[in-house]
Amino acid sequence: MGIAPDLQPLLDHLRDVVVPDDMAGDDALEAARCLVRLRNVVDHLVAMLAGVLDRCGVAAGQGRTVRELLISLGCAPSVAERLVRVGGALPTLPTLAAHAGDGAIPGEHVDAIVKGINHIRARSPGEVDEATRFRQVTDLLGQFFSGATPAAIGDRARKLGNRHAAAEGGLPAAEDRSINTLEHRVTSDGRLQVRADLDAEVGAKLVAAIEESSAPRPEPDGSPDTRSASRRRADALETVLDIAARGADVASAPRTQLLVTVPAEAPDLAELAFMGSISTMTMERICCDTTITTVIVDDEHVPLDMGREKRLFPAHLRKALYLRDQCCIKCGAPPGRTHAHHIVHWTHGGETSLNNGCLLCPACHANIHHDGWDVVMGLDKHPWLIPPATVDPHRRAIPAHNRRTMRLNVAA
Ligand SMILES: [Zn+2]
Ligand SMILES: [Zn+2]
């Protein structure tokens, strides 16, 4: 018969419970205490069942993972992940399982202890023996019983991991790659949040690359860079990614493949793969100098099926741009960090030629496409910048960065 038939009457019974409006305070407190305990027990039982579902192959038989099976039952993805992790670990952690089964520990704290034990195992150069693991579980349980939050339990586990690694001849945390993580998640408003936990070497490379590209650069009129340090680091990250996408050849087109889906009936509803919808303005900027594969149902309204050959600046034109502009025409960033911008956008019939191109770093490229800056080709066959009226009410043309110095020399 199994345990399922016993559970149904329990559920029916609980469903009949009504919380009265005029409940006495101490009664409410007692009921809440009991229900929290009940929740802990239920959470523990579901985790145990997740372990069973895994071991008896129910999910695999349906062609999916236990995590996916739990999500199909209505669990949030993060809860499903927690249940799978805890369900898989509890059979080897009997002390923790006993406390959890008693309802003494909420599922989130059980999970923090399981993650902590996994972390310590990852830090260990060899196997962790039973007695040692028992001491570690007891230590983390002690943290919980003295009021620690899941995050505090995680901190404690890192300390224990350091101590264990030092005693066993393992690497110090700063040098241990086995615990490196990089997480990214798309937020509800379509942005990307990134979280990383890196060893010293990878960390140093990241910081060096970001710092090198994130120095403040004065505006064309000599006024200080208005971007915050944090914004400059984010811009620098894009520069680093562009350099990586180009490989060793700085004059080549970026190899990054961005996939954009454009509904022909509503081109303003373009979507970027992995991320979500993007505005037409942003799509035009991306199309300037990034390898994009577009999926269009009907090409009548959207000229995106021109193919990259016509749209992207080939190596010989890039080299010509490097020679003429020498750097970002707005801020002077080195050419290897620049995009090739179409002065008359190619979706508006602008051609991919030296006369219709100029070099712009990612941050300045965004200024042109989004912040009202314009680029025009001068009679001198060099690009000129026109600031928005908010920057200069007269919108006087400013020469490209490499020509600004020349002008000063001429004036002197
Ligand atoms: Zn720039
Ligand atoms: Zn552009």
Side-chain angles (χ1 to χ4, degrees), residues 217 328-333 360-365:
R217 297 188 205 110
C328 169
I329 63 159
K330 183 162 175 279
C331 75
L360 285 162
C361 76
C364 296
H365 196 188

Side-chain angles (χ1 to χ4, degrees), residues 284-285 288 340-342 345 365 369:
E284 287 184 352
R285 177 169 54 78
C288 249
H341 165 71
H342 287 74
H345 201 266
H365 196 188
H369 283 271

Side-chain angles (χ1 to χ4, degrees), residues 332-350:
R337 296 189 201 153
T338 56
H339 295 164
H341 165 71
H342 287 74
I343 296 173
V344 175
H345 201 266
W346 66 274
T347 51
H348 302 145

Side-chain angles (χ1 to χ4, degrees), residues 145-181:
F145 285 115
S146 52
T149 60
I153 291 172
D155 288 344
R156 176 68 184 172
R158 286 173 84 104
K159 275 207 191 86
L160 292 179
N162 287 338
R163 206 183 285 166
H164 180 78
E168 300 288 313
L171 290 167
E175 295 164 28
D176 191 346
R177 274 167 187 259
S178 65
I179 49 170
N180 282 8
T181 54

